[in-house]
Coordinates of all heavy atoms in Angstrom, one line a residue:
I274 N 6.4 -2.1 -0.6 CA 5.2 -2.9 -0.5 C 5.4 -3.9 0.7 O 6.3 -4.7 0.7 CB 4.8 -3.7 -1.7 CG1 4.7 -2.8 -3.0 CG2 3.5 -4.5 -1.5 CD1 3.6 -1.7 -2.8
L275 N 4.6 -3.8 1.7 CA 4.7 -4.6 3.0 C 3.8 -5.8 3.0 O 4.2 -6.9 3.3 CB 4.5 -3.8 4.2 CG 5.4 -2.5 4.3 CD1 5.0 -1.7 5.5 CD2 6.9 -3.0 4.4
R276 N 2.5 -5.6 2.7 CA 1.5 -6.7 2.7 C 0.2 -6.4 2.1 O 0.0 -5.2 1.8 CB 1.3 -7.2 4.2 CG 0.4 -6.3 5.0 CD 0.2 -6.9 6.4 NE -0.2 -5.9 7.3 CZ -1.5 -5.6 7.6 NH1 -2.4 -6.3 7.0 NH2 -1.8 -4.6 8.5
K277 N -0.5 -7.4 1.6 CA -1.7 -7.2 0.9 C -2.8 -6.9 1.9 O -2.9 -7.6 2.9 CB -2.0 -8.4 0.1 CG -3.2 -8.2 -0.9 CD -3.3 -9.4 -1.9 CE -4.4 -9.2 -2.8 NZ -4.5 -10.3 -3.7
L278 N -3.6 -5.9 1.6 CA -4.8 -5.6 2.5 C -6.1 -6.1 1.9 O -7.0 -6.4 2.7 CB -4.8 -4.1 2.7 CG -3.7 -3.4 3.3 CD1 -3.8 -1.9 3.4 CD2 -3.5 -3.9 4.8
G279 N -6.2 -6.2 0.7 CA -7.5 -6.6 0.0 C -7.4 -6.5 -1.5 O -6.4 -6.1 -2.1
A280 N -8.5 -6.8 -2.1 CA -8.6 -6.9 -3.6 C -10.1 -6.6 -3.9 O -11.0 -7.0 -3.2 CB -8.1 -8.2 -4.2
G281 N -10.2 -6.1 -5.2 CA -11.6 -5.9 -5.7 C -11.5 -5.9 -7.2 O -10.6 -6.4 -7.8
G282 N -12.6 -5.4 -7.7 CA -12.8 -5.6 -9.3 C -11.7 -4.7 -10.1 O -11.3 -5.1 -11.1
M283 N -11.3 -3.6 -9.5 CA -10.4 -2.7 -10.2 C -9.0 -2.7 -9.6 O -8.2 -1.8 -10.0 CB -10.9 -1.3 -10.2 CG -12.0 -1.0 -11.3 SD -11.3 -1.2 -12.9 CE -10.2 0.1 -13.1
G284 N -8.6 -3.6 -8.7 CA -7.3 -3.6 -8.2 C -7.1 -4.3 -6.9 O -8.0 -4.8 -6.3
E285 N -5.8 -4.3 -6.5 CA -5.4 -4.8 -5.2 C -4.8 -3.7 -4.4 O -4.2 -2.7 -4.9 CB -4.4 -5.9 -5.5 CG -4.9 -7.0 -6.3 CD -3.8 -8.0 -6.8 OE1 -2.6 -7.5 -6.9 OE2 -4.1 -9.1 -7.0
V286 N -5.1 -3.8 -3.1 CA -4.6 -2.7 -2.2 C -3.6 -3.3 -1.2 O -3.8 -4.4 -0.7 CB -5.8 -2.1 -1.3 CG1 -5.3 -1.1 -0.4 CG2 -6.9 -1.5 -2.3
Y287 N -2.5 -2.6 -1.0 CA -1.4 -3.0 -0.2 C -1.0 -2.0 0.8 O -1.1 -0.8 0.6 CB -0.1 -3.3 -1.1 CG -0.3 -4.4 -2.1 CD1 -0.8 -4.1 -3.4 CD2 0.0 -5.7 -1.8 CE1 -0.9 -5.2 -4.3 CE2 0.0 -6.7 -2.6 CZ -0.5 -6.5 -3.9 OH -0.7 -7.5 -4.8
L288 N -0.5 -2.5 1.9 CA 0.1 -1.6 2.9 C 1.5 -1.3 2.4 O 2.2 -2.3 2.0 CB 0.2 -2.3 4.3 CG 1.0 -1.7 5.3 CD1 0.4 -0.3 5.7 CD2 1.1 -2.6 6.5
A289 N 1.9 -0.1 2.4 CA 3.3 0.2 1.9 C 3.9 1.3 2.9 O 3.2 2.0 3.5 CB 3.2 0.7 0.5
R290 N 5.2 1.4 2.8 CA 5.9 2.3 3.6 C 6.4 3.4 2.6 O 7.1 3.1 1.7 CB 7.0 1.7 4.3 CG 7.8 2.6 5.2 CD 7.0 2.9 6.5 NE 7.8 3.8 7.4 CZ 7.2 4.5 8.4 NH1 5.9 4.3 8.6 NH2 8.1 5.1 9.1
D291 N 6.0 4.7 2.8 CA 6.5 5.8 2.1 C 8.0 6.1 2.5 O 8.1 6.7 3.6 CB 5.6 7.0 2.2 CG 6.0 8.2 1.4 OD1 7.2 8.4 1.1 OD2 5.1 9.0 1.1
G292 N 8.9 5.8 1.7 CA 10.3 6.0 2.1 C 10.7 7.4 2.2 O 11.7 7.8 2.9
K293 N 10.1 8.3 1.6 CA 10.4 9.7 1.6 C 9.8 10.4 2.8 O 10.5 11.2 3.4 CB 9.9 10.4 0.4 CG 10.7 10.2 -1.0 CD 10.2 11.1 -2.0 CE 11.1 10.9 -3.3 NZ 10.7 11.8 -4.3
L294 N 8.6 10.1 3.1 CA 8.0 10.8 4.3 C 7.9 10.0 5.5 O 7.5 10.4 6.6 CB 6.6 11.2 3.9 CG 6.6 12.3 2.7 CD1 5.1 12.6 2.3 CD2 7.3 13.5 3.1
G295 N 8.3 8.7 5.5 CA 8.3 7.9 6.6 C 7.0 7.5 7.3 O 6.8 7.5 8.5
R296 N 6.0 7.3 6.4 CA 4.7 7.0 6.9 C 4.2 5.8 6.2 O 4.6 5.5 5.0 CB 3.7 8.1 6.8 CG 3.5 8.6 5.3 CD 2.6 9.8 5.2 NE 2.5 10.2 3.9 CZ 1.9 11.3 3.5 NH1 1.3 12.1 4.4 NH2 1.9 11.7 2.3
D297 N 3.2 5.1 6.8 CA 2.5 4.0 6.1 C 1.4 4.5 5.3 O 0.7 5.5 5.7 CB 2.0 3.0 7.1 CG 3.1 2.2 7.8 OD1 4.2 2.1 7.2 OD2 2.8 1.6 8.8
V298 N 1.2 4.0 4.1 CA 0.1 4.4 3.2 C -0.6 3.1 2.7 O -0.1 2.0 2.8 CB 0.7 5.3 2.0 CG1 1.2 6.5 2.5 CG2 1.6 4.4 1.1
A299 N -1.7 3.3 2.0 CA -2.4 2.3 1.2 C -2.0 2.5 -0.3 O -2.1 3.7 -0.7 CB -3.8 2.2 1.4
I300 N -1.7 1.4 -1.0 CA -1.4 1.6 -2.4 C -2.3 0.7 -3.1 O -2.5 -0.5 -2.9 CB 0.1 1.1 -2.7 CG1 1.1 1.9 -1.9 CG2 0.3 1.0 -4.2 CD1 1.6 3.2 -2.6
K301 N -3.1 1.3 -4.1 CA -4.0 0.6 -4.9 C -3.3 0.3 -6.3 O -2.8 1.3 -6.9 CB -5.3 1.3 -5.1 CG -6.3 0.5 -6.0 CD -7.7 1.0 -5.9 CE -8.7 0.1 -6.6 NZ -10.0 0.7 -6.6
V302 N -3.2 -0.9 -6.6 CA -2.5 -1.3 -7.9 C -3.4 -1.9 -8.9 O -4.3 -2.7 -8.5 CB -1.4 -2.3 -7.5 CG1 -0.6 -2.8 -8.7 CG2 -0.4 -1.7 -6.5

């Protein structure tokens, strides 16, 4: 988890780095 991108009623979204594939993704928590 690198930084928070936003939030809504059903969760929070973060910028994350996929360590297996070496790409940035969005993670909804």
Side-chain angles (χ1 to χ4, degrees):
I274 306 298
L275 302 176
R276 69 180 164 92
K277 188 173 184 176
L278 296 174
M283 277 299 290
E285 299 172 332
V286 179
Y287 295 89
L288 169 65
R290 183 76 177 163
D291 183 333
K293 285 188 175 182
L294 298 176
R296 64 180 172 189
D297 289 341
V298 298
I300 299 278
K301 185 168 185 180
V302 175

